[in-house]
Amino acid sequence: SEMKAKVAGGTSGVASGLAEYELNLQVALKLQTELEKRGYEVKMCRTTNDVNISNAERAQMAANQGADILVRIHANGSDNTSVAGALTMAPSNSNPYLGKSVISASQTLSRKIVDCFCVATGAKNQGVMQADTMSGINWSSIPVSIVEMGYMTNRTEDLNMASTSYQTKMVQGIANGIDAYYGA
C-alpha cells in the first residue's frame, strides 16, 4: 500500500565518492562472472546504470525469467559513521505477502550468504535482518535475499568496497553462500 520511488540511487561513499548504484553494479557483474564459472545460469535485472525498473518489477522479472533465487546486491548507510559490517535481509515468518516455503528458503539463503560473506571478507557479521516492508522482498515469488555488503558511511568499509581486491572477496563470499544454500 506504500508508494515508493521507482528507482533510487541509494547512498554514496563518504571517502570514495562512489555512488551505491555504481558499486552495486560493479559487484553484481563480477558476481555474474563468478557464478557462471561455477556453472550457474545467471539472469541479471540490470547490466547498466541507466534503468527504469522498480523493485517490484525486478522481483517479478526474476520469477518470470525462471530464476530459482533472487539475490539483490546493496550497500548500507548509517548516520553513525562508526557502524560497520554486513547483513542480509529476508522476510519474517509473519510476512503477509509470501508463502511459508518462500519465507523459510529466503531466511536460509540469507543466512548462508551473510555467513560465507563475512568469512571471505572478515566483515563483522550483523546477521539476517527480517524485513517485511521491502518491495524487493514482498513482490518476490521465489526465495530472495538482499545483501547489504557494508556501510558506505564508514570510511574504512567504503574504501574497502570500492577496491577491486575487496570486491573479489565479497563476490567469493556471496557465491560461496549460494553454493552452501544449494548444498554444493
Side-chain angles (χ1 to χ4, degrees):
S1 64
E2 182 183 342
M3 294 296 288
K4 296 182 177 184
K6 186 170 185 175
V7 178
T11 190
S12 62
V14 293
S16 69
L18 188 62
E20 180 190 354
Y21 70 90
E22 293 172 318
L23 170 66
N24 296 345
L25 184 58
Q26 288 174 9
V27 174
L29 291 170
K30 287 178 174 86
L31 180 59
Q32 175 186 19
T33 299
E34 178 61 27
L35 289 172
E36 287 172 347
K37 274 193 225 169
R38 294 181 186 206
Y40 292 96
E41 181 182 345
V42 179
K43 303 287 185 179
M44 301 288 285
C45 291
R46 70 182 180 105
T47 55
T48 176
N49 285 322
D50 186 25
V51 295
N52 191 25
I53 310 166
S54 72
N55 291 334
E57 289 168 330
R58 291 170 203 240
Q60 293 165 327
M61 179 189 303
N64 292 340
Q65 290 179 342
D68 295 322
I69 60 173
L70 173 57
V71 178
R72 301 192 36 148
I73 306 298
H74 287 275
N76 228 333
S78 173
D79 291 336
N80 180 348
T81 59
S82 68
V83 173
L87 62 90
T88 50
M89 293 184 191
S92 78
N93 289 327
S94 56
N95 184 294
Y97 308 105
L98 303 174
K100 296 296 179 206
S101 64
V102 170
I103 291 170
S104 176
S106 296
Q107 291 172 353
T108 299
L109 174 64
S110 294
R111 169 60 56 205
K112 300 284 188 188
I113 289 174
V114 74
D115 288 350
C116 290
F117 182 96
C118 291
V119 166
T121 62
K124 178 182 177 204
N125 190 334
Q126 293 186 322
V128 179
M129 175 189 288
Q130 296 191 347
D132 292 334
T133 60
M134 309 296 281
S135 52
I137 290 175
N138 293 341
W139 283 86
S140 187
S141 58
I142 59 176
V144 57
S145 179
I146 297 175
V147 181
E148 295 284 359
M149 302 178 290
Y151 288 79
M152 295 187 86
T153 48
N154 177 292
R155 180 177 176 77
T156 301
E157 275 194 344
D158 172 40
L159 292 173
N160 280 344
M161 289 188 292
S163 79
T164 302
S165 61
Y166 192 80
Q167 286 182 7
T168 299
K169 291 178 184 179
M170 293 191 298
V171 163
Q172 291 296 318
I174 296 167
N176 291 346
I178 293 169
D179 281 350
Y181 173 77
Y182 285 112

